[in-house]
Amino acid sequence: MKKTSPDAIHVWLVLNKAFQAITRHAAAGIRHTGLGDSDFRVLEVLLHKGPLPVNTIGPKVNLTPGSISVAVDRLYGKGLVSRVESDEDRRIRVVALTPRGKKLMVPVFRKHAAAMRKVFSELSSDELQQLESILKKVGRRAEALGGCEGQGAPASLILRRAESTRRSAA
């Protein structure tokens, strides 16, 4: 018998699976550029936000300070970004797209944006707006609750339990 009202864990499972599918689709579209996921995220934020201090980029693209430093070093080595000391504080390095980086990212991002439009094409404009609003609401709530380290089972175990429960209920 099918449930008429999904519970939170089932919605989380569906959201997680959808996110993974979208991520795989996006990665396939980016792979041909030779960029990895973290490199793409860094270049994308620089394309849309302009030059930023290294320590500002990491949180925007969900990378740790160590990971963002490695990514910026890699992109700098490829000639896609520049790094300069801030005029206000020499401890801060500002990262910017180089002309070569911009030349790479503009068409790559256009293709990425078109791919994402296709993924969401079955949703109306109103549905997209509702989805965005709901996801922001859930995300803000999760942020407010904070981390759950040491509070119960790891996510992988919860996923397996929820899948098992869902299958047995079907």
Side-chain angles (χ1 to χ4, degrees):
M1 179 177 271
K2 188 169 171 95
K3 289 183 188 180
T4 57
S5 178
D7 63 357
I9 194 68
H10 178 72
V11 173
W12 179 74
L13 283 166
V14 171
L15 175 64
N16 192 35
K17 286 181 178 181
F19 177 74
Q20 289 174 1
I22 293 167
T23 300
R24 283 190 301 272
H25 180 68
I30 295 165
R31 196 173 299 122
H32 75 280
T33 65
L35 296 172
D37 175 59
S38 60
D39 290 353
F40 174 81
R41 288 184 284 149
V42 171
L43 293 172
E44 186 275 330
V45 79
L46 293 172
L47 178 67
H48 291 100
K49 301 288 185 185
L52 294 169
V54 174
N55 63 340
T56 303
I57 299 170
K60 290 185 180 301
V61 298
N62 199 26
L63 290 175
T64 64
S67 296
I68 190 62
S69 293
V70 170
V72 168
D73 287 347
R74 187 173 44 247
L75 294 168
Y76 179 80
K78 292 179 180 181
L80 301 175
V81 300
S82 63
R83 294 180 296 204
V84 296
E85 291 176 351
S86 168
D87 292 335
E88 294 86 37
D89 186 341
R90 294 175 58 84
R91 296 171 295 177
I92 297 173
R93 288 210 158 163
V94 177
V95 181
L97 281 179
T98 61
R100 181 177 175 188
K102 188 171 184 175
K103 184 178 177 182
L104 170 72
M105 274 308 287
V106 168
V108 167
F109 187 78
R110 279 191 193 127
K111 287 179 184 174
H112 173 70
M116 291 304 100
R117 281 191 295 275
K118 282 184 182 178
V119 167
F120 289 96
S121 65
E122 292 189 15
L123 300 180
S124 69
S125 180
D126 285 346
E127 288 172 322
L128 275 173
Q129 209 166 25
Q130 288 173 348
L131 178 60
E132 179 183 3
S133 177
I134 290 167
L135 290 173
K136 283 181 178 180
K137 187 176 185 179
V138 172
R140 283 191 298 268
R141 178 66 179 146
E143 285 286 325
L145 292 171
C148 296
E149 297 84 28
Q151 296 181 12
S156 58
L157 181 58
I158 293 169
L159 272 171
R160 286 194 300 270
R161 285 182 188 159
E163 280 288 5
S164 174
T165 302
R166 191 172 58 79
R167 273 191 237 113
S168 63

